[in-house]
Amino acid sequence: MKLNIQNYTTQNNEWPQNGHHIMAQYDDEKVIVYQSYRPAIGNFATRNQFFGGPFSLERMTWIKPNFLWMMYRNGWGKKVGQEVVLAIHLKREAFQKYLENAVHSSFKPELYESQETWKESVKSSNVRLQWDPDHDPYGAKLERRAIQIGIRNEFIRSYAKEDVLKIEDISAFVAEQYEFVKSNQLDKLMIPAERPFLPEGEELQRKLQLI
């Protein structure tokens, strides 16, 4: 597994506890995002190193850079249709591009001139941005907000193949770590190392409510 793994408790003590933060594992080349799929889709992606086969290019897909938010969403890989957990090593410039083209999924009066302007932006946008409460390993809501990004049309086509550096099936790792959650041994829980990610551009950072 190519992910950098660290102890959850150690990381949690260093993370921001509130506010909007893109918590992610990243470097100068890539940003890791997560998705969960049924075996037919997940296994195809892992085997071929791109999204194809039963993967739909015609509907919006949501990516999440925050590991624990993904675990909340997929029930640690136990939900039906989300058994195969993927870590997608995404080109950093592609992730930046998604953020630059994103429109909030709910109206933000401080960012949009009017509801009508926002509605028109949503209709024409191919990237959707949503802030949700982050979650701890048990699924409890936190004060900190976590991001998820929905992509469609030309963005999902580039995401499916050319934007990807590597696709890893981390289902076995997820199942192994879930045992520590179930036994209330968070001191033994290991998860991908994450820290706040700031995209380039102060104007974009303001749009994303990061500053």
Side-chain angles (χ1 to χ4, degrees):
M1 197 166 69
K2 298 294 185 181
L3 294 177
N4 176 18
I5 305 301
Q6 292 183 8
N7 180 264
Y8 161 72
T9 303
T10 301
Q11 290 194 75
N12 188 47
N13 289 334
E14 299 173 351
W15 287 339
Q17 297 302 305
N18 49 49
H20 295 72
H21 298 279
I22 302 175
M23 301 300 296
Q25 182 167 140
Y26 62 93
D27 58 27
D28 291 342
E29 181 186 34
K30 64 183 178 295
V31 177
I32 309 296
V33 298
Y34 303 96
Q35 293 194 295
S36 289
Y37 287 109
R38 57 189 169 90
I41 295 176
N43 293 341
F44 180 99
T46 306
R47 185 170 61 250
N48 295 282
Q49 290 296 294
F50 68 89
F51 289 98
F55 178 83
S56 175
L57 296 172
E58 306 305 318
R59 52 183 292 187
M60 182 169 280
T61 192
W62 290 84
I63 59 175
K64 302 158 184 68
N66 178 304
F67 177 79
L68 285 178
W69 204 99
M70 185 73 255
M71 295 306 100
Y72 160 73
R73 182 68 181 83
N74 69 8
W76 288 87
K78 299 301 182 183
K79 290 187 178 179
V80 175
Q82 300 190 50
E83 301 91 346
V84 179
V85 186
L86 302 178
I88 299 99
H89 298 238
L90 193 64
K91 292 177 182 176
R92 181 166 174 157
E93 61 264 31
F95 191 70
Q96 173 84 20
K97 177 184 67 176
Y98 301 162
L99 294 175
E100 289 172 348
N101 287 274
V103 173
H104 290 78
S105 59
S106 59
F107 176 58
K108 308 289 182 184
E110 67 272 25
L111 297 175
Y112 300 93
E113 292 180 10
S114 65
Q115 273 205 318
E116 288 68 31
T117 302
W118 165 73
K119 285 178 182 178
E120 286 303 314
S121 297
V122 169
K123 282 181 185 177
S124 61
S125 171
N126 290 319
V127 184
R128 203 70 48 81
L129 159 69
Q130 189 165 307
W131 287 105
D132 300 286
D134 207 343
H135 295 263
D136 71 10
Y138 299 117
K141 288 183 181 180
L142 303 175
E143 289 295 319
R144 185 176 62 241
R145 291 274 165 167
I147 198 171
Q148 59 172 326
I149 301 160
I151 52 178
R152 64 181 180 180
N153 296 333
E154 73 264 27
F155 290 94
I156 197 171
R157 287 190 286 274
S158 66
Y159 170 77
K161 201 164 193 178
E162 64 191 62
D163 293 346
V164 170
L165 294 170
K166 184 176 181 61
I167 300 174
E168 287 190 275
D169 181 347
I170 60 168
S171 307
F173 167 76
V174 167
E176 176 185 84
Q177 297 307 310
Y178 186 42
E179 293 302 312
F180 296 123
V181 177
K182 291 192 293 183
S183 59
N184 296 316
Q185 298 183 81
L186 295 191
D187 58 315
K188 296 182 179 179
L189 176 62
M190 303 293 287
I191 66 170
E194 294 180 351
R195 55 198 167 102
F197 172 87
L198 269 181
E200 295 176 18
E202 193 171 308
E203 185 177 340
L204 176 59
Q205 293 169 14
R206 277 197 294 271
K207 184 187 88 165
L208 299 176
Q209 300 175 289
L210 296 171
I211 58 174

